[in-house]
Amino acid sequence: MHSNRAFHWTDREAMLAFAADVAFAHLFVSSPEGPLVAHAPLTVTPEGNIRFHLSRANPPARHLEGAIALASLAGPDAYVSPDWYGSDDQVPTWNYVTVEARGPVRLLSEAELVRQLDDLSAAHESRLAPKTPWTRAKMRPGLFEGLLKAIVGFEMQVEDLRGTRKLGQNKKPEEIEGAAAGLPASGRGDMAALMRGARG
């Protein structure tokens, strides 16, 4: 995680909301063979913990129960040309928003895993309105239960939550505006809006 205090993000509720919105993490865990990473969709519990599931065949799944793991969630990112700042002696940089969660991991019960899957699909189906939401009730009897055997669910108790919002806060207002004005040329109007918001 970036150590520059100008970019630190400390609002826990906002970071958890970001995690729920991004909903896809790189999950790192140590193993006797060395560090392993899994890529998984996730949900955030009302208590502020992270639930996710993996294929049972995914190697990290064998090492997560009882381990301390790290989840990394990446939001918008963009290259920033030094020309956009409108001042001399600038260098290229990359702006981005990320959150890291760290904590011990426990195995979910089957009922908790089903809840995680239902919560995950409900959250993302709601984004597709006015489409009628998909639910597992649309599946033929017994199929869901059979597929459930192929995955395993986990919950990370989030003991450490860190965020970085590297949005040019260390630049002058006119330099930030210059970069924000240039970013749409690379298709990154989303980053321009974030930079302007961070300035305010």
Side-chain angles (χ1 to χ4, degrees):
M1 186 60 69
H2 202 296
S3 60
N4 189 325
R5 288 190 173 276
F7 309 135
H8 283 188
W9 193 11
T10 58
D11 184 332
R12 184 177 178 87
E13 291 306 312
M15 287 189 285
L16 288 171
F18 170 87
D21 185 59
V22 171
F24 191 76
H26 296 76
L27 293 145
F28 299 90
V29 66
S30 294
S31 79
E33 295 80 37
L36 297 175
V37 62
H39 310 89
L42 61 80
T43 54
V44 177
T45 70
E47 298 78 25
N49 293 327
I50 289 174
R51 288 187 173 183
F52 59 95
H53 64 276
L54 301 175
S55 164
R56 287 187 183 275
N58 197 333
R62 298 192 302 270
H63 303 283
L64 281 161
E65 185 178 7
I68 303 294
L70 175 73
S72 175
L73 297 109
D77 68 274
Y79 171 79
V80 179
S81 171
D83 294 332
W84 294 337
Y85 290 122
S87 53
D88 295 335
D89 298 324
Q90 301 290 332
V91 296
T93 191
W94 211 278
N95 284 356
Y96 59 91
V97 181
T98 57
V99 164
E100 290 179 3
R102 183 177 179 275
V105 177
R106 71 172 181 88
L107 192 67
L108 294 181
S109 69
E110 183 175 295
E112 290 172 324
L113 172 58
V114 170
R115 175 66 185 270
Q116 195 267 335
L117 295 169
D118 286 346
D119 288 348
L120 184 66
S121 60
H124 294 279
E125 285 289 324
S126 70
R127 298 179 183 189
L128 304 177
K131 181 182 100 59
T132 301
W134 176 91
T135 70
R136 55 190 168 89
K138 294 186 175 184
M139 301 175 73
R140 71 175 184 267
L143 179 59
F144 176 79
E145 291 75 13
L147 294 172
L148 197 62
K149 294 179 173 60
I151 61 175
V152 59
F154 299 95
E155 178 174 291
M156 174 191 291
Q157 180 182 341
V158 179
E159 293 183 342
D160 186 24
L161 191 64
R162 294 170 290 173
T164 294
R165 299 176 82 238
K166 185 177 179 294
L167 302 171
Q169 300 96 316
N170 58 334
K171 300 294 184 183
K172 298 174 184 175
E174 60 272 20
E175 292 171 339
I176 294 172
E177 181 53 38
L183 278 161
S186 63
R188 298 318 308 261
D190 57 344
M191 180 57 70
L194 286 171
M195 291 177 68
R196 288 177 172 130
R199 186 182 61 192

